[in-house]
Amino acid sequence: MVTLSTVEETNATPFESQVCDATSAATSTVSLDRILELVHAYWGFNTLRPWQEEAIRATLDGQDSVVVLPTGGGKSLCYQVPPAITQQTHIVVSPLISLMKDQVDGLTACGYPAAALYSGKSTDEKNDIMRDLRAGKLRLLFVSPERLLMSGFLHELDQLDIRAFAIDEAHCISQWGHDFRPEYRQLALLQKRFPKASVHAYTATATQRVREDIANQLQLTNPAMLVGTFDRPNLVYRIVPQLDVYTQVIQAVQRHKDEAVIIYCLSRNDTEAMADILNSTGIKARAYHAGLSADQRHRTQDAFASESLNVVAATVAFGMGIDRSNVRCVIHATIPKSVEHYQQETGRAGRDGLEAECVLFYSGADVMRWQSLFEHSAEQLKNAEKLIAAQKKLLNEMRRYCTVPQCRHRALSEHFGQTYPQQNCHACDVCLDETEAAEEATEIAQKIISSVARLDRISGFSFGVGHHVDVLLGANTQAIRQRGHDQATTYGLLKGTPKKTLTHWIYQLLDQHLLTRTTGKLPVLELNEDSWEVLRGHRKVRLIRTAVKQVKETSISTISWDGVDRGLFEHLRVIRREIAEQAQVPAFVIFNDRTLRDLARRRPTGIKHFRKVHGIGDAKIEKFGKLFCTEIETYCNEHDLSTNIVIDSRHQADSSPTSTPGNSSSSKISKSKLMAFEMFSQGKSIDVVMAALSRARSTTAGYLCNFIEATKPASIETWVPQSTYLDVARAADQVGFDKLRPIYEHLDEKVSFDDIRLVVSHVRIQQN
Ligand code: ADP
């Protein structure tokens, strides 16, 4: 048997010198160290993420598999590593040219031999690729399902002893998936045609039905089902009542200046109106929808990928091909039509594992708009009722997700059948306590419901939302005067309330089934049994105010920016963009944002330190090392910044929020900080947290400092007695805040450094 250390290759590249020939060796002998060595050499990562090792081993062992990892979970690495170890060629089936191109660009930049065959290639290019394929020079070849299934191409593959096929975006094979592609169905023939090859399906789609369907359709044999955690802790979810959606969207986009933002809108017209408004306020944005020409769509996609365009207002058509990993915000200007859509669309945020915001502006009126769209679009169809009922059910689940004030991470995990272990995610509007309940909500609800009862009685029939709003606000309209509704006791009962707020409250009552709205062309409000419960005072009502209290900084964002010089980060971004433009590849192919942040944190000026930065493998050290080190050195000299900073392993390895505790020592440390934050938010003392996390006191006090900086509490009396606080603050006033020792000495060494540090942090926050 060939063992790793005894394989000898002639003309071997540095990565090939210790490869294991899977045709002759039991692949399970490939050690984790060997896999990590290769991963580090190509990609500069120090650890594997959850399920990557299992997925890699399934391919090495020739066992079919279905790998389900959330977007950004690192599925690509699972099929990239095995052929690089075994020195074979594997085939990747991918549904979109843009996805193939991005993958090949990214791999080529890492020095990994890969190519893609698609219709846009010239005959010469195709011939070159086929020559390389036959010569065994490629580790991965990307093809569309259509090309793979061409008889000539299949015949070529017959000659090549292909041992594995990876099916990317495998949910396309299932009609239960959201991107069903009939041509994927024919991939079932792979099993018969290539009996020696294993087939591996990759998807982020969470539902069990789709997973099982994939395995059945591909006729997989005893597949390893590798299903990761769907939760994306780096995403901050916010559901905000919709008030003035354009203003709200602008404010959200402004929170992400110069960063990538996708705004999902309901219709083509909505995307264009949104892009126009953003442009008129100086935010460069473009619309994207299926009604645009293919050329217009490509130009927008390319501009977005190259970072020359940051904001796109789109319909759901802006989807699978969007591979930009540093999307920092996904906005839903309207409710999506299912939780599955929401998960897919928000999944495009933060693929690089860094923090990203997902904000949805919810309005009950949009729910009604979807419903009438379903009814309208199904009019011509057979079995329309069944279809509409199914669509309404999905929409209703989404509506519930928006309206039930429960941790959004928990609700999403539970929707997909997974449990959510944390009490407080620190990353959604509910857990960050950003929503505000309206005072006297029950009285407000009673006034609205009485208006419905009163006007029904006066006129003998019911009215729509708009009319009730006008009556309650005491408007002077012809409709009100004609019907004598200005004489109703409820006329003007909620005068002074903003119209949008009142409208929103009525929709909240509908969402809570405290009122009913009829369907049809002219829907009207009616009372139900629960309405009477409210009127009789037997039921309390909760209504949310239409503005969030304040958008808070989250602990995830504090950690990922920890120690990063933002000026340098922006400077490096510009350099990255220039290189990418020259090379005509998306910017993230050069370095992703996490690598840029790590560069701006460690500030290496020589290759020795450059090598330690996250996500930089050998090829990139060679290509970009000198250039970036020189730029960093110049910038740091000009801005008086220290360089070559040595950092604990926390930032070095993958601190991806998709990593689980225990997966790597470094991710454990980040997780510890998050756990510490959670405990501090519950008012736990340093000693308790220190014991729970098995950390040194000074480390735990450091976490507390970060917590104080992130959450800006009004007082820190929970951790430092008021008298000590005042002593330290007074001493610092006299001897300055810059160093702790003078304060310590000024206080006759009676107050601990930890306490001094905490007070100084807090006083600084108060001063800013
Ligand atoms: P997916 O296909 O599951 O959406 P990708 O394969 O695009 O995810 O990976 C998302 C990001 O995570 C990429 O930037 C990738 O380079 C990075 N990544 C993958 N595996 C690791 C790892 N083990 N350590 C650090 N980063 C990783």
Side-chain angles (χ1 to χ4, degrees), residues 36 39 43-50 52 69-80 103 168-169 203-204 323 325 347 351-353 588 592 594 614-615 653-656 658-659 663:
L36 286 174
V39 166
W43 293 278
F45 305 146
N46 295 313
T47 52
L48 291 178
R49 292 201 176 145
Q52 282 184 327
L69 289 177
T71 313
K75 290 183 280 299
S76 324
L77 204 79
C78 304
Y79 55 73
Q80 290 162 351
Q103 287 259 351
D168 204 7
E169 309 288 354
T203 179
D323 224 10
S325 66
R351 292 183 59 151
D352 52 13
F588 61 82
N592 69 19
R594 179 181 284 181
H614 169 89
D654 182 25
S655 59
S656 156
T658 53
S659 304
N663 184 249

